[in-house]
């Protein structure tokens, strides 16, 4: 039996194969996600502001790239920028890897007041930013409902829930979302200890923690660490932790060291077509097309920007 | 700042800590999951039939234990038993690890007709078992709805969706669920290549593939392999694959080599209390209690059976 038996669909389809479809082929009646991406226009994509891109490097792993979400957590994003600029993250470690839940980094000496790392210019604590006003918020709704919120959809490339009656919107705990750890009070975090969702979406955390962004490259690096065997997935021995060697804003590294990423906009007809291609599956493998999609199953596509060929 | 900042809840709470609560303490007004488990009676637990327990061993990893679901996929379960008994799985490999999706094992030589492993006594293909009649099905419904199905809940310890109008029920693709890979036709799988969900629930696969069971121990072993870099997360080089050394039914190994597991029943008041403890969070860390729960966020608790102390 072939190992290429495909129980599954093309969630991880490579952009290369998507782009292999010539854009001038006749439009398919039911375009697949690959077709939709191949037919996209440059205006369907947005460059990601280097002020909102955080590069996080762990020893022996490829770079993790996070897009920050100042529209939802302006104070935390500002503080994460300040923390990165003062080198706060450099020398921390991955302290927690809890299966079907989160990977989290922090100060391995945080329990020892004498050795614990001190914040310099950044703020040591911040008020929680659990939800924002939905006024003037771009919002592309999904049509199929949600267990946790009155409405869900996308805003500025992020998965979002909305309660129009309360006039509120908030980021949601989908796979790859990044949050700021806190203690028992709402104002006890500062963005200096971040966690990333690496399992089924723990949506009960929505509005309980400040989400600050999303991993747009390298989430597979974070999800594949050995699981911690202590309570809540914390590593029990120092040697089990992986060092966080360096975190920097893209804006603070030389241009030639940046990865130029672009994200598929979530407020376009192309994005609507992408959602539709995943709601109702017409690929030959699918026997049941489903006709529904849940928020965290919508792929948010990010790719490396093609550098224009200036030699021609 | 303490590394014990808890952005998160007690999903992975250890049974040890749960049991540390004395069972004769006064019942809490809003029991936590740990409280519910500590207060459970022996009759709230079910032993898992060794005929339905598959031990899968990968080189250098702890044992993975799967509970098979004959109530939903009787032919596949029967065939998996036959495959295990003829040693089909022994010597296969983990061939695919796709981030936020699945881990999958199969025959690394499956593409080479001359070298491909042949099935002996088991069946080489089987009709799909995508859904069953909901007649006479024990079903504990959840109250908060679902994006993909008219109703969801639990049956015999498994997460289940139900369409009462159509008279059908089916297993759902939650984290840790195990499915039988197939080709383009419904009857092209046989249970010989199994995949395990290791990311956000890909519920669009429901009723497209035969789900055969659930990992009840060791899913963290499967979710932490390096991701495959080929299309669909397949490993590109033979040396990247991990050998599947042996798979056996618990019933076929000597009693002293078995792990005696028991699972919290899903048809009891104790289970209802557990669901409630996760729907509405009263732990001090939670500022927003949520009051809803989605199918794949309900913990299905399995523990090693306590051996009665016969020395007393």
């Amino acid at each position: 039996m072939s190992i290429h038996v495909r129980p599954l669909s093309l969630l991880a389809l490579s952009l290369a194969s998507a782009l292999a479809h010539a854009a001038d082929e006749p439009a398919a009646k039911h375009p697949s996600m690959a077709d939709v991406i191949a037919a996209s226009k440059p205006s369907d994509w947005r460059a990601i502001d280097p002020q909102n891109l955080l590069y996080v490097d762990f020893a022996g792993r490829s770079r993790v790239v996070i897009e920050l979400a100042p529209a939802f957590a302006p104070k935390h994003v500002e503080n994460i920028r300040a923390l990165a600029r003062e080198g706060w993250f450099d020398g921390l470690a991955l302290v927690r890897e809890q299966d079907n839940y989160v990977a989290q980094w922090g100060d391995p000496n945080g329990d020892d007041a004498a050795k614990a790392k001190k914040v310099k210019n950044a703020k040591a604590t911040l008020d929680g930013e659990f939800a924002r006003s939905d006024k003037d918020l771009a919002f592309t709704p999904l049509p199929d409902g949600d267990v946790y919120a009155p409405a869900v959809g996308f805003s500025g490339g992020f998965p979002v829930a909305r309660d129009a009656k309360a006039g509120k919107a908030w980021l949601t705990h989908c796979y790859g979302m990044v949050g700021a750890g806190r203690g028992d009070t709402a104002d006890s975090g500062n963005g200096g200890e971040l966690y990333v969702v690496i399992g089924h979406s723990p949506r009960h955390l929505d509005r309980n923690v400040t989400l600050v962004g999303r991993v747009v490259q390298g989430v597979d690096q974070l999800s594949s660490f050995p699981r911690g065997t202590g309570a809540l997935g914390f590593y029990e021995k120092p040697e089990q932790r992986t060092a966080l060697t360096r975190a920097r804003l893209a804006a603070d590294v030389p241009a030639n060291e940046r990865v130029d990423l672009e994200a598929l906009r979530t407020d376009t007809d192309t994005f609507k077509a992408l959602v539709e291609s995943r709601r109702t599956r017409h690929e030959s493998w699918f026997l049941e097309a489903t006709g529904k999609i849940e928020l965290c199953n919508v792929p948010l596509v990010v790719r490396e920007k093609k550098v224009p060929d200036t030699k021609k």
Side-chain angles (χ1 to χ4, degrees), chain A residues 132-195:
Chain A
R132 54 157 282 172
S133 161
D134 68 350
K135 216 185 146 200
D136 303 325
L137 183 77
F139 182 69
T140 305
L142 281 179
D144 301 313
D146 184 66
V147 167
Y148 291 95
V152 290
F154 299 91
S155 184
F158 292 96
V160 167
R162 184 183 195 179
D163 183 344
K165 220 160 133 185
K168 294 285 182 192
W170 57 94
L171 296 175
T172 55
H173 279 81
C174 292
Y175 195 94
M177 289 295 286
V178 183
R182 67 162 175 84
D184 270 6
T185 59
D187 62 354
S188 52
N190 76 335
E193 294 193 22
L194 298 173
Y195 66 90

Side-chain angles (χ1 to χ4, degrees), chain A residues 52-293:
Chain A
N52 293 336
L53 272 184
L54 184 68
Y55 296 155
V56 187
D57 297 327
F58 291 91
R61 296 266 167 166
S62 304
R63 173 162 285 179
V64 173
V65 183
I66 294 168
E67 180 179 7
L68 301 169
F72 287 87
K75 288 175 200 161
H76 279 75
V77 168
E78 193 50 48
N79 211 47
I80 289 168
R81 289 184 189 128
L83 288 163
R85 286 185 174 132
E86 71 179 50
W88 159 265
F89 294 104
D90 308 356
L92 302 186
L94 189 87
V95 292
R96 178 186 191 189
E97 183 88 5
Q98 184 170 356
D99 196 60
N100 190 18
Y101 215 25
V102 296
Q104 184 177 339
W105 50 91
D107 179 5
N109 298 316
D111 279 340
D112 181 340
K115 288 191 198 164
K117 198 162 181 173
K118 304 286 180 296
V119 168
K120 293 175 213 159
N121 306 309
K123 293 200 165 63
T125 58
L126 284 177
D127 285 341
E129 297 176 290
F130 303 147
R132 54 157 282 172
S133 161
D134 68 350
K135 216 185 146 200
D136 303 325
L137 183 77
F139 182 69
T140 305
L142 281 179
D144 301 313
D146 184 66
V147 167
Y148 291 95
V152 290
F154 299 91
S155 184
F158 292 96
V160 167
R162 184 183 195 179
D163 183 344
K165 220 160 133 185
K168 294 285 182 192
W170 57 94
L171 296 175
T172 55
H173 279 81
C174 292
Y175 195 94
M177 289 295 286
V178 183
R182 67 162 175 84
D184 270 6
T185 59
D187 62 354
S188 52
N190 76 335
E193 294 193 22
L194 298 173
Y195 66 90
V196 176
V197 174
I198 57 159
H200 183 74
S201 57
R203 294 282 308 282
H204 49 284
L205 298 177
D206 292 359
R207 289 185 289 175
N208 272 300
V209 201
T210 302
L211 286 168
V212 301
R214 190 175 81 87
V215 176
V216 293
Q217 200 168 65
V219 72
D220 58 321
Q221 301 297 310
L222 291 168
S223 56
S224 57
F225 282 105
R227 275 43 183 164
T229 50
L232 302 174
F234 280 94
Y235 291 112
E236 296 179 279
K237 295 174 190 166
E239 63 268 27
Q240 294 169 328
R241 300 178 190 133
T242 303
L244 192 172
T245 51
R246 207 175 95 123
R248 287 290 180 277
L249 283 177
D252 294 341
V253 305
N256 63 356
E257 290 176 23
R258 293 184 202 163
V259 189
D260 243 354
L261 296 176
E262 59 182 4
L264 195 72
R265 297 174 62 120
T266 53
D267 58 352
T268 62
D269 287 343
T270 293
F271 183 71
K272 276 183 200 150
L274 180 144
V275 170
E276 201 45 46
S277 76
R278 306 295 289 186
R279 278 184 84 222
T280 306
R281 302 299 287 256
H282 296 280
E283 295 98 323
S284 61
W285 184 86
F286 279 88
L287 304 168
E288 165 66 43
T290 305
K292 308 258 186 187
I293 197 160

